[in-house]
Amino acid sequence: MTFTDLFENDDMKLINLLPQDGAVYYHGKILDTTTADIYLAKCRGELSWEHDRAFIYGKEIVTKRKVAWYADEPVSYTYSGYTKMASAWPGFLQEIKQVVESNCGEVFNSCLCNFYSSGTEGMSWHSDAEKDLIANGAIAALSLGGERKFSFKHKKTGKSVSLNLEHGSLLIMKGTTQQNWLHSLPKTKKDREPRVSLTFRQMR
Ligand SMILES: O=C(O)CCC(=O)C(=O)O
Ligand SMILES: [Fe+2]
């Protein structure tokens, strides 16, 4: 990496956590604890949470994790064999979107929200490269609540990279990350507070 690579991106002065074939930037806590606490309570109380449904190897499964989805337009989004409709942005979520955008220099038009009630809920290895998303678009994940480990695994080499996602922190995945790397939120038997992740995305 050259000096200009380090400074000529919107994730200024942050180091790419991936050694090759993608770009992941951890901005750390972008919200103070009080603000993050308020947003967590609003997300838990005011978003329309539903269990997610997916088709895995031809079988329908209903996830323990809950999701809610918001977008600029009442667009549909297809993943894991299901098509879902987005709702209009609640005011506070749009406020969070602006904070996220100003921190990473990207603009987003949708948000998939995840709710994990404890460490026994997680998300298995996957990449987010559905055809409804702009190819190589950025995904910004704002974490609220219980701190959790997050992992990346290279699709060819199997090399892995992990980090902890703190309350009020921002993680950006961009470039060819989704083409070349899987990511997961591993389940854990350790006690973990409930967690919300707000994953801002760029839909076509
Ligand atoms: O919960 C997270 O931090 C990430 C979730 C995720 O990978 C996704 O929504 O696609
Ligand atoms: Fe993902």
Side-chain angles (χ1 to χ4, degrees):
M1 186 182 289
T2 66
F3 180 81
T4 46
D5 285 339
L6 264 180
F7 292 93
E8 283 183 2
N9 67 56
D10 291 312
D11 303 277
M12 287 234 294
K13 297 182 195 171
L14 296 177
I15 301 293
N16 182 0
L17 297 182
L18 299 181
Q20 63 187 97
D21 301 337
V24 170
Y25 297 97
Y26 184 59
H27 289 241
K29 285 173 176 263
I30 63 159
L31 301 175
D32 61 70
T33 305
T34 311
T35 310
D37 288 347
I38 293 169
Y39 282 144
L40 175 62
K42 276 189 179 281
C43 286
R44 292 189 64 179
E46 296 177 31
L47 301 184
S48 338
W49 298 107
E50 284 179 7
H51 290 284
D52 201 11
R53 289 164 182 277
F55 264 111
I56 310 278
Y57 301 117
K59 262 199 179 156
E60 186 192 39
I61 60 144
V62 178
T63 61
K64 287 210 260 176
R65 160 182 64 91
K66 288 181 172 178
V67 296
W69 185 40
Y70 299 89
D72 288 357
E73 320 249 325
V75 284
S76 68
Y77 177 63
T78 304
Y79 69 92
S80 305
Y82 267 94
T83 299
K84 328 188 182 203
M85 292 298 294
S87 315
W89 296 101
F92 77 92
L93 194 54
Q94 230 160 0
E95 208 174 278
I96 298 175
K97 181 167 103 75
Q98 275 163 16
V99 174
V100 166
E101 287 175 344
S102 68
N103 270 274
C104 67
E106 303 276 349
V107 176
F108 302 98
N109 60 7
S110 56
C111 184
L112 178 67
C113 313
N114 300 292
F115 178 67
Y116 309 87
S117 63
S118 74
T120 64
E121 297 174 16
M123 204 181 288
S124 53
W125 291 113
H126 70 283
S127 54
D128 296 281
E130 281 80 17
K131 60 177 171 25
D132 297 323
L133 292 173
I134 289 176
N136 295 338
I139 297 179
L142 184 85
S143 294
L144 297 168
E147 191 167 314
R148 296 284 296 263
K149 180 178 166 183
F150 194 67
S151 301
F152 291 89
K153 183 166 75 180
H154 193 279
K155 290 182 185 178
K156 291 213 176 87
T157 68
K159 188 179 172 61
S160 70
V161 174
S162 295
L163 72 157
N164 284 321
L165 300 177
E166 301 163 278
H167 183 38
S169 72
L170 180 65
L171 180 82
I172 312 292
M173 302 184 266
K174 59 202 270 187
T176 55
T177 304
Q178 306 301 330
Q179 280 177 38
N180 299 312
W181 295 80
L182 301 169
H183 56 269
S184 75
L185 187 85
K187 292 178 185 172
T188 172
K189 290 202 173 77
K190 294 179 195 148
D191 262 355
R192 287 290 178 263
E193 290 299 311
R195 171 174 183 269
V196 165
S197 69
L198 306 175
T199 65
F200 294 92
R201 296 158 189 258
Q202 300 169 330
M203 311 255 318
R204 286 179 195 284

